Amino acid sequence: LVVSAVTGTVLLLRSISGSVGVAEPTDTQLQEETPEKNCALFRHLPNLCKSLAWRSLGAANCSPIHVCKLPKDGLTFLVKREDLISNQYGGNKVRTLQHQLAICESRRERGDIACKQLVALGSGGSNQVIATVVHARKLGWDNKGDCAINACWFDPDEPDLDNTLNMLSVFSFPNVGFTFDWGTSTG
């Protein structure tokens, strides 16, 4: 079981490293966050707290669990409510953004100019794009100065109200620097 946990942790860290890299937390992150309380990874591996940047993004320390019971046969089951973890924008996307945005924030604060402009990629009604825009804004990608989040949609989604609202929501944020979609000409 211990070997499995260590292997899982190594795979998780390699996956994170492959997308945005790894960075130590900034002094501000260490002062403002309590990852050993609010993040399962750091509760089990507290030595990582000072080695891997992390932000709570307003997320509760654990997802609410609801007990549900089917009326007809009385079957009871549990529902994990990731949609309720953050009062800003919930859902499972927050869990990966807690590491990715914190690492980009740490690299930006240490002078890495590649992290001043972020690009969020997704399909037309992407939850990932809107979640990134919402949470990046709180961490300084506010389109003031040279720090902005940029939205890029590479493929249309099926038309429906949720997808349309996600895309319109992105346009409503002042921290979005540019948008590019599947209909925009590149040449």
Side-chain angles (χ1 to χ4, degrees):
L1 185 62
V2 172
V3 172
S4 177
V6 170
T7 302
T9 301
V10 168
L11 291 174
L12 171 68
L13 293 175
R14 283 186 180 158
S15 177
I16 291 170
S17 176
S19 63
V20 296
V22 175
E24 292 181 359
T26 64
D27 291 338
T28 303
Q29 289 172 338
L30 289 171
Q31 291 169 3
E32 293 177 355
E33 302 290 349
T34 52
E36 63 282 353
K37 176 184 171 199
N38 293 322
C39 177
L41 175 66
F42 296 123
R43 274 196 302 276
H44 296 287
L45 299 167
N47 292 339
L48 284 179
C49 288
K50 293 193 174 159
S51 301
L52 183 62
W54 181 85
R55 284 292 197 169
S56 69
L57 303 180
N61 61 350
C62 60
S63 303
I65 306 286
H66 292 179
V67 178
C68 301
K69 188 173 186 177
L70 295 176
K72 186 175 180 181
D73 59 9
L75 177 68
T76 301
F77 58 96
L78 304 175
V79 176
K80 184 177 180 183
R81 297 292 307 274
E82 287 287 280
D83 59 315
L84 299 176
I85 62 170
S86 174
N87 60 3
Q88 300 293 313
Y89 191 90
N92 63 342
K93 308 298 185 218
V94 174
R95 299 294 183 199
T96 56
L97 289 173
Q98 289 174 321
H99 293 282
Q100 292 172 338
L101 288 176
I103 290 167
C104 290
E105 177 189 28
S106 175
R107 289 176 52 196
R108 181 192 70 206
E109 296 302 314
R110 289 180 168 86
D112 185 342
I113 61 170
C115 291
K116 289 186 178 224
Q117 297 282 320
L118 298 183
V119 177
L121 300 169
S123 59
S126 171
N127 289 317
Q128 182 70 36
V129 172
I130 187 65
T132 305
V133 167
V134 168
H135 292 295
R137 182 177 185 202
K138 294 186 307 185
L139 297 177
W141 285 278
D142 53 11
N143 209 17
K144 296 176 183 169
D146 55 358
C147 294
I149 178 79
N150 305 294
C152 181
W153 296 281
F154 54 81
D155 197 23
D157 271 346
E158 291 298 316
D160 78 14
L161 184 59
D162 287 343
N163 291 341
T164 302
L165 290 175
N166 279 351
M167 202 167 201
L168 289 174
S169 294
V170 168
F171 290 126
S172 72
F173 280 88
N175 60 317
V176 176
F178 74 82
T179 58
F180 178 87
D181 67 41
W182 60 92
T184 304
S185 173
T186 58

